[in-house]
Amino acid sequence: MNYDQLLITVTEIGFQLLKNGAETYRVEDSVTYVLKAYSENIKDINVFAIPTCLIVSITTTNNITYSKTKRVLNRLQNIDRIVQINSLCRYISKNKPSIEYINAKLEDIGNLKRYPYSFELIANSMAACAFTFFYGGALNDAIIAVFIGALIKVTTSWMKKFKMNSFTTITINSFSIAFLAILSYHVHLASHYDSIIIGCFMLLVPGVAITNAARDFIAGDLLSGTIRLSEAFLVATSIALGSGIALSIFR
């Protein structure tokens, strides 16, 4: 067994899980299960994951230790890829395929296309519209929210091309939401700008990050939980900053 190649492959599995938004305990368990499938000459397995870093080490029966560390600089939320990788890990644990097979499957999963841009644009618009209705907006408010929701998707995609960090992106988006909502109210296109703002803000609220932080705390991963909670707090601060600037303009 080429343990260097094995370690590179299992680290890539954990990296892809973290990159796509998986919980840290899931990453650690998945990587451990894969290593145990090839543990004939391995006597010790240690996996440590936090949202921004993964460390994997193994010790063979010959007392030789192999270790691999990989940083996670950019993360997103792609549940479909997490499901696909988890299925691959279960297959590996049961069938013990070759490393080449695992690498090929990982490449196939990485090449899976996300939803078309037009679909995401429509989904953003419909979500903003629905939340605006939910928070007491009228029909004209919901129509305004449709356009703002679409604009948020466009500006987010545009800023990703320039590799702007998420907090700057959220600050700009929250400013745009509040500014356009209040402006539409002042020109008598909207009736309840507060409902539009809250409804569109739901596109930016880090609900998954907060949920994962709670799950990490419950699972005993205090460091990961603290990191995710801090990230959610910074996102909330960015939302407040952007909207506060917009509100101050109309005072």
Side-chain angles (χ1 to χ4, degrees), residues 111-174:
N111 291 331
L112 288 174
K113 292 184 179 181
R114 300 190 69 181
Y115 293 110
Y117 180 81
S118 58
F119 182 88
E120 294 183 0
L121 197 69
I122 295 172
N124 256 40
S125 298
M126 293 300 99
C129 175
F131 278 119
T132 299
F133 269 127
F134 181 79
Y135 288 110
L139 178 60
N140 55 335
D141 301 323
I143 293 173
I144 297 296
V146 166
F147 290 102
I148 295 177
L151 178 64
I152 295 306
K153 176 59 184 177
V154 172
T155 55
T156 300
S157 300
W158 181 76
M159 284 184 279
K160 279 184 178 179
K161 293 180 180 179
F162 293 92
K163 297 182 179 180
M164 298 181 70
N165 64 71
S166 59
F167 303 112
T168 302
T169 301
I170 291 171
T171 300
I172 294 173
N173 281 337
S174 61

